[in-house]
Amino acid sequence: AVALKVPNAAIHGDPAPLDSFVHRAKRAFSLSHANILGSIDLGRAELADGRALTFLVTERARGSSLDELLTRAREAQVALPLGALFRLGAEVAKALDHAHRRREPIAHGALSERRLFISAEGQLKVADFGLAVGSECAEPAADLLALASLLARSIGSADLPDTARSLLLDLERGGINDAGSAHDRLLELSFALSPDREQRSLGRMFSLVAGAERAASESLLPEAELDAALSHSAGGPPVQG
């Protein structure tokens, strides 16, 4: 399964934005990392009306976006393990480090919860690397600031030890100036927060949310059965509601 990306400029036939998209897409082809959704093909199709449609084929994300997981966790009132959240930050930083270390560094330029995908097996993938409009001008340092903001939003009001708060502040203030160092420190903190391997697993985040949703739906069944039993014993039809 793949994803097909067609820029608006390709549909409307705007040459300048389309050239910019092609340039960004070609840069993305130089990235090859386990945590980055890879580019597969950049092509152009001739349409029946004579127009040419430019498109980019990439890997298709599996699992759920971090945005979806956080939303579902809040709805199910599930607290995600801090160790897993900092491990997620470390995995993102590892992907950033790969791109930032290119001869011509490539910044993501639009890092957000909607562009991070986690599979049921715990595999993290960063989408749209370097494809956002304006990403050609983005600086690698901006990616680290975006990562700090993303982690702060994901953690929310959870009680953090001083070491974790200090690390987030360092990221927010630009005290960590390269993604490799950010990866090492985030990973080290992940181990400190969750010595249990399972509690720092990204797959654990996925299963916690899925388990809470399943338990919530199953908890309705005994109550419905009880209503039916009580109504039947009273001689009336089962209660509907």
Side-chain angles (χ1 to χ4, degrees):
V2 298
L4 187 67
K5 297 182 182 293
V6 179
N8 287 332
I11 298 172
H12 298 298
D14 300 332
L18 184 56
D19 290 345
S20 176
F21 172 80
V22 170
H23 174 66
R24 295 194 304 273
K26 286 181 176 179
R27 291 171 75 233
F29 268 96
S30 68
L31 301 176
S32 178
H33 192 273
N35 295 121
I36 296 177
L37 283 177
S39 298
I40 298 172
D41 187 27
L42 177 65
R44 183 170 294 174
E46 297 295 333
L47 304 182
D49 61 5
R51 289 183 303 154
L53 188 68
T54 300
F55 60 87
L56 175 67
V57 182
T58 72
E59 289 182 72
R60 184 177 177 180
R62 295 170 55 231
S64 299
S65 71
L66 177 60
D67 182 63
E68 292 169 334
L69 285 179
L70 291 173
T71 298
R72 287 155 54 193
R74 284 192 294 269
E75 291 172 348
Q77 297 184 338
V78 172
L80 298 178
L82 289 177
L85 288 172
F86 277 89
R87 173 65 181 273
L88 179 143
E91 293 294 303
V92 174
K94 186 161 61 172
L96 294 176
D97 186 53
H98 169 74
H100 293 175
R101 287 183 180 274
R102 312 298 297 174
R103 181 177 298 177
E104 295 183 7
I106 299 175
H108 186 287
L111 198 62
S112 72
E113 292 88 337
R114 294 184 179 183
R115 289 184 167 94
L116 303 183
F117 291 87
I118 302 167
S119 70
E121 299 78 23
Q123 175 69 44
L124 171 82
K125 291 283 189 176
V126 182
D128 299 335
F129 214 113
L131 294 177
V133 175
S135 60
E136 307 101 313
C137 304
E139 294 292 334
D143 283 344
L144 294 180
L145 296 179
L147 176 58
S149 297
L150 185 152
L151 284 173
R153 290 192 299 270
S154 301
I155 293 164
S157 59
D159 188 23
L160 290 177
D162 290 342
T163 51
R165 291 194 180 281
S166 176
L167 176 53
L168 287 180
L169 281 174
D170 277 352
L171 275 173
E172 290 171 357
R173 295 170 177 173
I176 303 175
N177 55 17
D178 71 89
S181 298
H183 166 265
D184 294 344
R185 291 186 59 182
L186 287 165
L187 188 61
E188 181 181 4
L189 188 55
S190 170
F191 275 82
L193 291 170
S194 299
D196 180 3
R197 181 174 179 272
E198 184 68 15
Q199 290 299 310
R200 60 177 182 272
S201 162
L202 301 189
R204 175 65 173 167
M205 289 174 51
F206 196 101
S207 62
L208 273 175
V209 173
E213 291 175 332
R214 187 164 55 249
S217 63
E218 290 173 352
S219 70
L220 299 176
L221 183 60
E223 185 178 350
E225 290 177 344
L226 179 60
D227 285 343
L230 289 174
S231 297
H232 180 71
S233 66
V239 175
Q240 301 296 319

